[in-house]
Amino acid sequence: MELQSHRTETVKEGRERQREGEGEDGVTAGGGGGGGKKAGMKRRHEEEEDEDETSPTKKQVPDHSVKVASHYNSLQEVGLAARSRSRIFFMRNFNNWLKSVLIGEILEQVRGAGPQQISVLDLGCGKGGDLLKWRRGGINHLVCADIAAVSVEQCQSRYEDMKRKSHANEKIFSAQFITADCSKEVLSEKLDHPELMFDICSCQFVYHYSFESEQKADMMLRNACERLKPGGYFIGTTPDAFELIKRLEASDSLTFGNEVFKVSFQSKGSYPLFGCQYHFSLEDVVDVPEFLVYFPLFEHMAKRYNMRLVMKQRFSEFSEEKVKKEHHRSLMMKMMALEPFPCEDGGRQATDSRGEYCHAKDHSSRAGVRLPLGTLSRSEWEATSIYLVFVFQKMC
Ligand SMILES: C[S@@+](CC[C@H](N)C(=O)[O-])C[C@H]1O[C@@H](n2cnc3c(N)ncnc32)[C@H](O)[C@@H]1O
């Protein structure tokens, strides 16, 4: 099936068609020209693509990957003390807990299929925020790749520190670190072991950077999936395009957000399938251009790599379901993934802003509720509830 034709379709149109009863494959049907708004969009894309490279009128297209890499490279590593003072301390812990649960459950699935050496690709590994999760999961080999060279260096030194400080009887996984734009370069050509196959590719808060163009999104997907063993998993977290658009359309400007995060679009009403850029800023952590990932198209593209979607859930649904299990709940406490309300020992909540804990206050006044509750401030919840979790599996 040809994805070229999808360029004429917008996210909104795709959603409308889906409502009209077309299934996941419906994304292929919308292309092919047509009139009105669609034709306008198609023309814009084609003009951009067909223009002569040497044309003096050709617009300089900024390379967003460079911006993204330099943003993440410039982020400072902060110590535990500074992190615990962050306005989004609990939200970051919550996101980390959610990733831990996802990684833990996928490792269980992989192990359930029989004893084996487990190899993992961490695509967009950043500074190695998930290294401890892989250690806890007892994997055998890890390949970490990221576009930001400074982050990859920090990830590697964190890994070496971890190995140095580990007990003599603990066997820490072997690892390779690669700096590469995974939406442009073929990772398999850079592997130390050219025959290596992965059980899991984990792509946490990364895939949306590649939706700048079809070529980039496809290369990222190829890197995620081409070296997966049959039955292997591609897991990740990414913003939910429908939720972003819903909030944008409810806003009376091109921006929405609160005291911890802000999302700004350049226009609204029509959303191209690729290259639909928005600017995302989150406290002191993120301040970069990102791109909408229209999930039905992502799912469709993944089929090229023999991948089947086995789970897609918003963070809210995923966390509500997982917290019912005792071991996930106790990990949640251990990781301080929720903020105690009311705060204990005369301490202060993460923010004094009005209305940030109304939901917790209401809930705590109900009969039989044991205090303190675990919660997130309204602003942190609004920020984290943008995201979704996905799991694809390679068909045998
Ligand atoms: C929000 S951080 C997530 C880091 C890590 N996965 C985590 O969950 O802690 C996004 C990461 O994606 C990386 N990234 C963005 N575009 C990329 C690309 N084209 N190729 C490889 N890495 C990329 C960034 O450099 C950054 O480290």
Side-chain angles (χ1 to χ4, degrees), residues 35-294:
K37 199 161 63 177
K38 253 190 206 175
M41 285 214 42
K42 180 175 160 61
R43 240 176 275 124
R44 213 179 64 221
H45 272 292
E46 285 176 353
E47 276 160 18
E48 279 163 12
E49 279 161 22
D50 295 347
E51 250 178 331
D52 180 354
E53 283 291 320
T54 57
S55 160
T57 58
K58 184 172 169 65
K59 268 196 296 174
Q60 276 290 312
V61 182
D63 190 338
H64 290 101
S65 308
V66 175
K67 259 194 230 166
V68 169
S70 63
H71 166 73
Y72 282 103
N73 274 331
S74 68
L75 284 184
Q76 300 295 317
E77 262 292 274
V78 295
L80 197 65
R83 264 208 306 278
S84 66
R85 286 193 301 272
S86 160
R87 167 69 180 89
I88 54 168
F89 173 72
F90 292 104
M91 184 191 114
R92 293 179 79 174
N93 293 348
F94 178 82
N95 289 349
N96 250 320
W97 168 76
L98 194 139
K99 286 194 290 177
S100 297
V101 170
L102 174 65
I103 286 172
E105 291 206 338
I106 289 300
L107 281 168
E108 255 176 49
Q109 297 282 330
V110 170
R111 290 220 165 77
Q116 56 183 308
Q117 298 278 304
I118 298 180
S119 295
V120 174
L121 169 62
D122 191 339
L123 193 59
C125 59
K127 298 176 194 307
D130 293 340
L131 284 173
L132 277 176
K133 301 177 187 69
W134 300 122
R135 177 189 189 172
R136 231 180 276 131
I139 67 164
N140 304 89
H141 186 66
L142 179 68
V143 174
C144 290
D146 200 286
I147 192 173
V150 177
S151 299
V152 176
E153 271 168 35
Q154 290 180 357
C155 180
Q156 180 158 9
S157 66
R158 249 167 123 167
Y159 164 75
E160 272 149 20
D161 248 30
M162 186 171 100
K163 240 169 88 161
R164 215 177 15 254
K165 292 177 184 159
S166 65
H167 296 296
N169 57 358
E170 182 186 3
K171 175 134 176 46
I172 301 278
F173 53 84
S174 53
Q176 181 189 354
F177 299 86
I178 302 172
T179 300
D181 182 341
C182 304
S183 64
K184 283 188 185 158
E185 300 165 70
V186 179
L187 271 183
S188 57
E189 291 169 1
K190 297 173 188 287
L191 294 176
D192 286 344
H193 310 288
E195 71 296 340
L196 182 65
M197 297 290 280
F198 298 105
D199 297 276
I200 300 170
C201 168
S202 171
C203 187
Q204 306 297 341
F205 301 103
V206 179
Y207 191 70
H208 41 290
Y209 294 109
S210 75
F211 245 68
E212 183 174 358
S213 68
E214 181 179 350
Q215 289 78 358
K216 285 187 170 196
D218 183 60
M219 180 56 84
M220 192 69 112
L221 202 47
R222 173 176 168 185
N223 283 324
C225 305
E226 77 172 345
R227 284 313 188 100
L228 281 179
K229 296 176 187 168
Y233 293 94
F234 170 35
I235 61 174
T237 41
T238 196
D240 179 357
F242 291 149
E243 184 61 26
L244 290 176
I245 291 177
K246 194 173 94 187
R247 296 192 197 188
L248 172 66
E249 302 236 333
S251 154
D252 49 18
S253 70
L254 294 177
T255 295
F256 63 88
N258 56 41
E259 62 183 48
V260 307
F261 85 110
K262 192 169 135 190
V263 174
S264 306
F265 280 78
Q266 289 154 347
S267 63
K268 64 179 173 182
S270 176
Y271 310 94
L273 292 178
F274 296 101
C276 189
Q277 191 189 327
Y278 58 92
H279 194 90
F280 183 70
S281 52
L282 173 69
E283 265 289 287
D284 42 4
V285 196
V286 188
D287 191 15
V288 277
E290 298 188 350
F291 300 91
L292 283 187
V293 177
Y294 178 45

